DNA sequence: TACGGTGATGAGACCAAGTCCCATCACTTA
DNA sequence: TAAGTGATGGGACTTGGTCTCATCACCGTA
């Protein structure tokens, strides 16, 4: 077995997630992950840039969905409406299967510095992508940064909420962004 | 030479910065940095957790200054006023010497993924620290997150501006945060 | 049926990051 | 002068990650 079995990438992800759960991230060698998936270290690094990335596959797709939605939004829409559209656009990737191993994935990430680091970089990537797409629409630099940052905040809170409650991510994201905006209003109104 | 010369840590930082500038981060081995500083690899790792950290020394101090300022702020101050105090409190670390090699440091970080990753983690660290300190004051979760995130944004923009213009960082930070708040107002007012 | 092409994999050498352990040295204090 | 302390040197070792080349399954075509 092994060679030419289909879905090598998925097998690697599952093996990694299992092993990280059983022994912890640091105590699991890439060779071991590959072995459990019926593959070798070489093949692992053909599918993932590094050991961390096995937990973050497909996040580039998210950034593309976001920027696509921002570029395609109606011209008269305000920055935060556009950001909302960006979050909603990512909903197609939030499948039941993804929700199933979401908590395990989050737990592993939280347990390790390298992984929190990678997660932070991904979020910065989202923020930069949205900022650029907003600037492309003519939104001034600072407004674009702020709107994008608020969007990432809502995305993160929304993701955690979605893991707990399930349902349609688009709905959850919309509601969460609304609450963030309300918080912003309370902040500026208070002084 | 080497052994028992003072300021081993500072020598390592300077050697690293120079070598990264000359040959790039990836092409510079830790052993080489240590050698130029008149030390060995072992000693390098005694002073820095890893190769990246040589560029981020002292950022823990910043987080402590921020949380200290937030805890010590007057009880009636609003969240964003408190955040302003946090940024102002970090000004003591922004010396001329730090400004001197700031651009070189930023250029190196921008050139490499690992380093951008570490920088992102540091910023998340600031945000978490400020969020927690705000919650400690009774600020609700979401308001705290938003205020902290805006503070980090202002900190970053302010830092870049300070590298360009010089002067007192406290002043720059105050002004930058003011502009961020104005941008927030324009965002929410527009729709 | 045979053949060559293609793409994914295996295998192993290799380098550098990071850990560990122990010896060594300079300096301090009794 | 001797013991103690803290920073350093040195080297073995594991693992992440790169690179190169051989190998195998499948596909199309003659």
């Amino acid at each position: 077995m092994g060679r030419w079995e289909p879905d090598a990438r998925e097998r690697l992800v599952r093996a990694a997630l299992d092993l990280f759960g059983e022994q912890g991230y640091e105590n699991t060698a890439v060779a071991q992950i590959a072995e459990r998936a019926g593959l070798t270290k070489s093949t692992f690094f053909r599918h993932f840039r590094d050991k961390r990335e096995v937990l973050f596959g497909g996040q580039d797709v998210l950034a593309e969905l976001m920027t696509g939605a921002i570029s395609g939004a109606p011209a008269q829409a305000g920055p935060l409406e556009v950001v909302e559209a960006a979050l909603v656009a990512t909903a197609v990737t939030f499948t039941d299967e993804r929700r199933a191993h979401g908590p395990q994935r989050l737990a592993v990430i939280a347990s390790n510095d390298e992984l929190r680091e990678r997660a932070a970089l991904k979020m910065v990537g989202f923020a930069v992508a949205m900022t650029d797409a907003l600037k492309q629409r003519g939104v001034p630099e600072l407004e674009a940064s702020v709107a994008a940052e608020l969007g990432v905040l809502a995305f993160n809170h929304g993701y955690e909420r979605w893991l707990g409650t399930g349902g349609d991510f688009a709905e959850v994201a919309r509601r969460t962004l609304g609450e963030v905006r309300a918080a912003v209003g309370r902040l500026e109104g208070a002084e």
Side-chain angles (χ1 to χ4, degrees), chain A:
Chain A
M1 79 131 81
R3 239 189 206 195
W4 306 116
E5 296 285 326
D7 302 323
R9 191 186 179 91
E10 282 69 25
R11 267 154 53 212
L12 286 167
V13 171
R14 186 159 296 277
L17 221 42
D18 290 347
L19 285 167
F20 293 163
E22 294 169 17
Q23 338 171 321
Y25 175 80
E26 290 109 336
N27 301 323
T28 305
V30 169
Q32 196 182 0
I33 300 171
E35 187 189 12
R36 178 168 295 199
L39 297 165
T40 64
K41 202 179 75 165
S42 300
T43 303
F44 180 96
F45 285 111
R46 257 181 219 108
H47 285 277
F48 304 100
R49 207 172 71 246
D50 53 44
K51 183 180 172 186
R52 281 148 255 157
E53 201 64 15
V54 72
L55 286 168
F56 296 93
Q59 303 241 2
D60 326 319
V61 178
L62 288 184
E64 285 167 22
L65 286 171
M66 291 178 182
T67 57
I70 293 178
S71 308
Q76 75 276 10
L80 285 177
E81 291 181 72
V82 172
V83 165
E84 180 178 302
L87 300 193
V88 168
T90 66
V92 292
T93 69
F94 287 79
T95 64
D96 283 349
E97 189 260 346
R98 177 151 171 215
R99 183 159 167 257
H101 57 260
Q104 190 181 0
R105 183 176 158 273
L106 275 193
V108 174
I109 293 174
S111 76
N112 179 274
D113 266 345
E114 287 183 9
L115 294 175
R116 289 212 304 274
E117 209 164 68
R118 178 58 53 87
L121 185 68
K122 295 292 182 180
M123 293 307 124
V124 170
F126 292 164
V128 170
M130 286 199 279
T131 302
D132 288 347
L134 285 168
K135 287 199 287 188
Q136 207 84 28
R137 292 170 59 90
V139 178
E141 163 88 35
L142 212 49
E143 275 99 316
S145 299
V146 171
E149 218 65 63
L150 294 177
V152 170
L153 190 62
F155 180 82
N156 279 324
H157 280 240
Y159 177 57
E160 285 186 23
R161 185 176 295 184
W162 175 77
L163 281 184
T165 66
D168 182 19
F169 180 76
E171 196 52 45
V172 177
R174 250 192 290 263
R175 195 170 62 236
T176 309
L177 184 59
E179 292 173 15
V180 168
R181 293 177 66 166
V184 170
R186 257 170 283 147
L187 264 190
E188 282 296 346
E191 299 168 28

